[in-house]
Short mmCIF file of all heavy atoms in Angstrom, two decimals:
data_model
loop_
_atom_site.label_atom_id
_atom_site.label_comp_id
_atom_site.label_asym_id
_atom_site.label_seq_id
_atom_site.Cartn_x
_atom_site.Cartn_y
_atom_site.Cartn_z
N LEU A 48 -39.93 33.68 -29.73
CA LEU A 48 -40.16 34.81 -30.63
C LEU A 48 -41.32 34.52 -31.57
O LEU A 48 -42.16 35.39 -31.83
CB LEU A 48 -38.89 35.11 -31.44
CG LEU A 48 -38.97 36.28 -32.42
CD1 LEU A 48 -39.25 37.58 -31.67
CD2 LEU A 48 -37.67 36.39 -33.22
N ASP A 49 -41.38 33.29 -32.08
CA ASP A 49 -42.50 32.89 -32.94
C ASP A 49 -43.82 32.97 -32.20
O ASP A 49 -44.83 33.47 -32.75
CB ASP A 49 -42.25 31.47 -33.46
CG ASP A 49 -43.45 30.92 -34.21
OD1 ASP A 49 -43.78 31.45 -35.28
OD2 ASP A 49 -44.06 29.94 -33.71
N LEU A 50 -43.84 32.49 -30.94
CA LEU A 50 -45.06 32.53 -30.16
C LEU A 50 -45.47 33.97 -29.83
O LEU A 50 -46.66 34.31 -29.84
CB LEU A 50 -44.88 31.74 -28.86
CG LEU A 50 -44.66 30.23 -29.02
CD1 LEU A 50 -44.36 29.59 -27.67
CD2 LEU A 50 -45.87 29.56 -29.66
N GLU A 51 -44.47 34.81 -29.56
CA GLU A 51 -44.77 36.21 -29.20
C GLU A 51 -45.31 36.99 -30.39
O GLU A 51 -46.29 37.73 -30.26
CB GLU A 51 -43.50 36.88 -28.67
CG GLU A 51 -43.73 38.29 -28.15
CD GLU A 51 -42.48 38.89 -27.56
OE1 GLU A 51 -41.40 38.27 -27.69
OE2 GLU A 51 -42.58 39.98 -26.96
N THR A 52 -44.67 36.84 -31.55
CA THR A 52 -45.13 37.59 -32.74
C THR A 52 -46.50 37.11 -33.19
O THR A 52 -47.28 37.89 -33.76
CB THR A 52 -44.12 37.43 -33.89
OG1 THR A 52 -43.89 36.03 -34.13
CG2 THR A 52 -42.81 38.11 -33.56
N SER A 53 -46.81 35.84 -32.93
CA SER A 53 -48.12 35.33 -33.33
C SER A 53 -49.25 36.01 -32.55
O SER A 53 -50.37 36.11 -33.05
CB SER A 53 -48.19 33.82 -33.12
OG SER A 53 -48.14 33.49 -31.74
N GLN A 54 -48.94 36.47 -31.32
CA GLN A 54 -49.95 37.15 -30.53
C GLN A 54 -50.34 38.50 -31.14
O GLN A 54 -51.40 39.05 -30.83
CB GLN A 54 -49.43 37.38 -29.10
CG GLN A 54 -48.81 36.17 -28.43
CD GLN A 54 -49.76 35.00 -28.28
OE1 GLN A 54 -50.89 35.18 -27.84
NE2 GLN A 54 -49.32 33.81 -28.67
N ILE A 55 -49.49 39.01 -32.03
CA ILE A 55 -49.76 40.28 -32.69
C ILE A 55 -50.25 40.07 -34.12
O ILE A 55 -51.25 40.66 -34.55
CB ILE A 55 -48.49 41.17 -32.70
CG1 ILE A 55 -48.00 41.42 -31.27
CG2 ILE A 55 -48.75 42.49 -33.42
CD1 ILE A 55 -46.67 42.13 -31.19
N ASP A 56 -49.54 39.21 -34.85
CA ASP A 56 -49.85 39.02 -36.27
C ASP A 56 -51.18 38.31 -36.49
O ASP A 56 -51.95 38.69 -37.38
CB ASP A 56 -48.72 38.22 -36.94
CG ASP A 56 -47.41 38.98 -36.93
OD1 ASP A 56 -47.43 40.21 -36.74
OD2 ASP A 56 -46.34 38.34 -37.12
N PHE A 57 -51.46 37.29 -35.73
CA PHE A 57 -52.68 36.50 -35.95
C PHE A 57 -53.95 37.31 -35.69
O PHE A 57 -54.89 37.24 -36.49
CB PHE A 57 -52.66 35.23 -35.10
CG PHE A 57 -51.79 34.14 -35.67
CD1 PHE A 57 -50.74 34.44 -36.54
CD2 PHE A 57 -52.00 32.82 -35.34
CE1 PHE A 57 -49.93 33.45 -37.07
CE2 PHE A 57 -51.20 31.81 -35.87
CZ PHE A 57 -50.16 32.13 -36.73
N PRO A 58 -54.05 38.06 -34.57
CA PRO A 58 -55.26 38.89 -34.38
C PRO A 58 -55.46 39.90 -35.50
O PRO A 58 -56.61 40.16 -35.91
CB PRO A 58 -54.99 39.58 -33.03
CG PRO A 58 -54.10 38.63 -32.30
CD PRO A 58 -53.21 38.07 -33.36
N GLU A 59 -54.37 40.49 -36.01
CA GLU A 59 -54.48 41.43 -37.12
C GLU A 59 -55.01 40.73 -38.37
O GLU A 59 -55.87 41.26 -39.08
CB GLU A 59 -53.12 42.07 -37.41
CG GLU A 59 -52.64 43.02 -36.32
CD GLU A 59 -51.28 43.62 -36.64
OE1 GLU A 59 -50.68 43.21 -37.66
OE2 GLU A 59 -50.83 44.48 -35.87
N LYS A 60 -54.48 39.54 -38.63
CA LYS A 60 -54.93 38.76 -39.78
C LYS A 60 -56.40 38.39 -39.64
O LYS A 60 -57.19 38.49 -40.61
CB LYS A 60 -54.07 37.50 -39.89
CG LYS A 60 -54.55 36.45 -40.87
CD LYS A 60 -54.49 36.92 -42.30
CE LYS A 60 -54.87 35.77 -43.24
NZ LYS A 60 -54.99 36.22 -44.66
N LEU A 61 -56.80 37.97 -38.44
CA LEU A 61 -58.19 37.59 -38.20
C LEU A 61 -59.13 38.79 -38.35
O LEU A 61 -60.24 38.66 -38.90
CB LEU A 61 -58.34 36.99 -36.80
CG LEU A 61 -57.77 35.58 -36.62
CD1 LEU A 61 -57.74 35.19 -35.14
CD2 LEU A 61 -58.60 34.57 -37.40
N ALA A 62 -58.70 39.97 -37.88
CA ALA A 62 -59.53 41.17 -38.00
C ALA A 62 -59.76 41.52 -39.47
O ALA A 62 -60.89 41.85 -39.88
CB ALA A 62 -58.86 42.34 -37.27
N LYS A 63 -58.72 41.45 -40.30
CA LYS A 63 -58.86 41.74 -41.73
C LYS A 63 -59.76 40.71 -42.41
O LYS A 63 -60.59 41.07 -43.26
CB LYS A 63 -57.48 41.74 -42.38
CG LYS A 63 -56.59 42.90 -41.95
CD LYS A 63 -55.23 42.81 -42.63
CE LYS A 63 -54.32 43.95 -42.17
NZ LYS A 63 -52.98 43.88 -42.79
N ASP A 64 -59.60 39.44 -42.03
CA ASP A 64 -60.42 38.39 -42.65
C ASP A 64 -61.88 38.52 -42.26
O ASP A 64 -62.78 38.23 -43.08
CB ASP A 64 -59.90 37.01 -42.26
CG ASP A 64 -58.60 36.65 -42.97
OD1 ASP A 64 -58.21 37.40 -43.90
OD2 ASP A 64 -57.98 35.63 -42.61
N ARG A 65 -62.15 38.96 -41.05
CA ARG A 65 -63.55 39.12 -40.62
C ARG A 65 -64.22 40.28 -41.37
O ARG A 65 -65.41 40.20 -41.70
CB ARG A 65 -63.61 39.35 -39.11
CG ARG A 65 -63.26 38.09 -38.29
CD ARG A 65 -63.56 38.28 -36.82
NE ARG A 65 -63.25 37.07 -36.06
CZ ARG A 65 -62.19 36.92 -35.29
NH1 ARG A 65 -61.31 37.90 -35.16
NH2 ARG A 65 -61.99 35.78 -34.64
N ILE A 66 -63.45 41.34 -41.60
CA ILE A 66 -63.99 42.44 -42.39
C ILE A 66 -64.28 41.98 -43.81
O ILE A 66 -65.34 42.29 -44.39
CB ILE A 66 -62.99 43.62 -42.41
CG1 ILE A 66 -62.86 44.22 -41.00
CG2 ILE A 66 -63.43 44.70 -43.40
CD1 ILE A 66 -61.79 45.29 -40.88
N ALA A 67 -63.33 41.22 -44.38
CA ALA A 67 -63.52 40.70 -45.74
C ALA A 67 -64.70 39.72 -45.78
O ALA A 67 -65.42 39.65 -46.79
CB ALA A 67 -62.26 40.00 -46.20
N LEU A 68 -64.92 38.99 -44.69
CA LEU A 68 -66.03 38.05 -44.63
C LEU A 68 -67.37 38.79 -44.67
O LEU A 68 -68.31 38.37 -45.38
CB LEU A 68 -65.92 37.20 -43.36
CG LEU A 68 -67.06 36.21 -43.10
CD1 LEU A 68 -67.12 35.17 -44.21
CD2 LEU A 68 -66.87 35.52 -41.75
N GLU A 69 -67.47 39.88 -43.91
CA GLU A 69 -68.70 40.67 -43.92
C GLU A 69 -68.97 41.25 -45.31
O GLU A 69 -70.12 41.26 -45.77
CB GLU A 69 -68.61 41.79 -42.88
CG GLU A 69 -68.58 41.31 -41.43
CD GLU A 69 -69.84 40.54 -41.06
OE1 GLU A 69 -70.94 40.94 -41.54
OE2 GLU A 69 -69.73 39.56 -40.32
#
Side-chain angles (χ1 to χ4, degrees):
L48 181 62
D49 172 66
L50 295 174
E51 185 177 8
T52 54
S53 67
Q54 312 299 313
I55 302 173
D56 295 342
F57 281 24
E59 291 179 354
K60 169 66 175 173
L61 287 169
K63 292 179 181 179
D64 286 351
R65 289 190 179 104
I66 294 174
L68 177 62
E69 293 299 323

